[in-house]
Amino acid sequence: QVRLIESGGGSVQAGGSLTLSCAPSTSRRYYMGWFRQAPGNEREFVAAISISAEDWRYADSVKGRFTISRDKALNTVYLQMNSLKPEDTAVYYCAAGALTPSNVRSSYDYWGQGTQVTVSS
């Protein structure tokens, strides 16, 4: 069983920045994604990146503000979040195992336990 180890959540004021990180418990590389879930809402796609880091995609709501990247040597994926808004408040989940940088939840085999991001106005 692959575990995804997340870190970097926290509280920040609107306009601030946070960086989330996620690393699988194995050395195997996966297509990786980030999703988020706010209270009362469905879990929604945020960003995804290929193994080579040459292909990525973003939800329209975060384009231009969030950047997904990966450190191949550390086998770690990052989500840099800038210009945060109160509506970005959610639990953010790392996901791995899709065959493409997918925005579909069911494409992913492994999930992290989630990290809380809270943005105050």
Side-chain angles (χ1 to χ4, degrees):
Q1 182 70 17
V2 176
R3 289 189 305 118
L4 299 180
I5 304 165
E6 302 162 337
S7 63
S11 298
V12 66
Q13 289 192 324
S17 298
L18 284 173
T19 300
L20 307 182
S21 65
C22 175
S25 57
T26 73
S27 59
R28 181 177 175 180
R29 288 170 171 76
Y30 297 92
Y31 285 93
M32 305 280 290
W34 288 97
F35 289 72
R36 67 186 182 186
Q37 188 168 16
N41 289 359
E42 296 283 326
R43 191 172 298 187
E44 64 176 9
F45 170 74
V46 175
I49 190 167
S50 65
I51 295 173
S52 67
E54 295 176 355
D55 186 17
W56 57 89
R57 61 189 60 186
Y58 296 94
D60 288 342
S61 59
V62 306
K63 279 181 183 176
R65 300 189 298 121
F66 290 11
T67 301
I68 190 169
S69 62
R70 69 189 306 156
D71 184 317
K72 296 177 185 178
L74 297 178
N75 198 20
T76 298
V77 172
Y78 303 94
L79 186 68
Q80 173 69 42
M81 305 184 293
N82 298 327
S83 302
L84 282 161
K85 305 175 181 180
E87 50 264 43
D88 295 317
T89 295
V91 177
Y92 283 70
Y93 295 89
C94 177
L99 299 179
T100 63
S102 174
N103 61 352
V104 178
R105 285 174 54 185
S106 59
S107 299
Y108 294 88
D109 296 322
Y110 309 108
W111 291 85
Q113 61 185 17
T115 184
Q116 177 70 45
V117 171
T118 302
V119 184
S120 57
S121 58

